[in-house]
């Protein structure tokens, strides 16, 4: 996607250039995260943008026309820089509601290739561009993301070509640098943050990831979609915040009836997601300081109250617990 002339800046390169302009020695630029750790602690804010699990958009039944929960996405603002984790349908709108102008988005991370986590991936990049994007956006996700990015650009090439020629816009294709994550472990390091990834259990997808952000002594972990996985408790050990997906088992039969064209949905749900009790087990084993429930399955059943979501978790975990809702914010 890139030629050398237009090779976009990484977060580190970007910092390097601005520091070099300021006359600083390159020796000072080594080990960006270590240096960041010594610098002033960046302000960190976590925002739940969309808390619904599953691809269906909007509510049904007597709540038809409502959007109690938008599809899955999260935001970390680290020193004011937006990191978007997953891009379910509605992510652009939810970012704006959270007070983030789209052209400021700098990093996008996708946990896995299910549409409730990526349906608006390309459109978010496009919307950032149409809002005045002039810097690079780096995107990260399981293998397939680079191809998906090229495909999105091809799908929209008539519009993109037209606006580049007609309006003098920079070429969107040269502003986006997509990265397929093939080696897990450390996947993104810059002067603000270190991000590591681990494999989740989310069959039939082989590549589904959880992400851990470490910044200024604070740790935030996103489970992504996963079946009960004790390895996640190791990965999230002592985290300040664990944002974990959740499923309420007794409601699943009713959910399956509301989606008449998904014959084997019940089997998929039980093999690939985590029920409330098991979320509590993971959070307790990891001794996280705060547990935030998100990616609710079912996400459109008003009969499942705050207390019902908490009840199973509380059998095992006694730390701080938040039943997530859209646009809920946490200052770290
Ligand atoms: Zn999902
Ligand atoms: Zn999924």
């Amino acid at each position: 996607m890139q030629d050398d002339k237009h090779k976009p800046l990484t977060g580190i390169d970007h910092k390097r250039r601005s520091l070099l302009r300021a006359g600083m020695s390159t020796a000072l630029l080594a080990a960006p995260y270590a240096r960041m750790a010594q610098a002033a602690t960046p302000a960190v804010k976590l925002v739940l943008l969309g808390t619904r699990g599953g691809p269906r958009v909007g509510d049904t039944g007597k709540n038809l026309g409502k959007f109690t929960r938008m599809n899955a996405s999260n935001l970390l603002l680290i020193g004011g820089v937006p990191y978007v984790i997953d891009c379910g349908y509605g992510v652009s709108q939810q970012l704006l509601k959270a007070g983030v102008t789209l052209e400021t988005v700098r990093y996008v991370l996708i946990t896995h290739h299910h549409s409730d986590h990526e349906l608006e991936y390309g459109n978010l990049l496009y919307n950032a561009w149409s809002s005045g994007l002039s810097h690079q956006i780096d995107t990260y996700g399981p293998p397939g993301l680079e191809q998906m990015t090229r495909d999105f650009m091809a799908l929209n090439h008539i519009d993109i070509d037209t606006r580049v020629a007609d309006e003098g816009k920079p070429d969107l294709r040269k502003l986006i640098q997509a990265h397929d994550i093939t080696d897990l472990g450390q996947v993104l390091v810059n002067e603000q943050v270190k991000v590591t990834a681990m494999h989740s259990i989310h069959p039939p997808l082989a590549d589904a990831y959880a992400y851990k952000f470490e910044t200024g002594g604070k740790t935030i972990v996103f489970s992504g979609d996963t079946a009960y996985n004790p390895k996640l408790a190791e990965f999230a050990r002592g985290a300040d915040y664990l944002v974990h997906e959740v499923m309420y088992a007794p409601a699943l039969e009713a959910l399956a009836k509301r989606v008449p064209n998904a014959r084997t949905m019940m089997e998929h749900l039980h093999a690939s997601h985590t029920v409330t009790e098991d979320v509590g087990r993971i959070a307790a084993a990891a001794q996280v300081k705060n547990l935030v429930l998100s990616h609710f399955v079912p996400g459109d059943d008003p009969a499942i109250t705050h207390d019902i979501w908490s009840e199973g978790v509380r059998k095992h975990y006694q730390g701080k617990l938040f039943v997530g809702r859209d646009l809920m914010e946490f200052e770290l």
Side-chain angles (χ1 to χ4, degrees), residues 33-45:
Y33 179 71
R35 193 180 63 253
M36 177 275 283
Q38 294 162 9
T41 306
V44 180
K45 190 199 263 189

Side-chain angles (χ1 to χ4, degrees), residues 111-117 202 205 208 225-226 245 268 272-273 295:
T111 57
H112 65 293
H113 293 305
H114 262 151
S115 64
D116 51 324
H117 299 256
H202 194 50
L205 294 177
D225 283 10
T226 183
E245 72 129 272
H268 162 75
S272 320
H273 294 283
H295 193 281

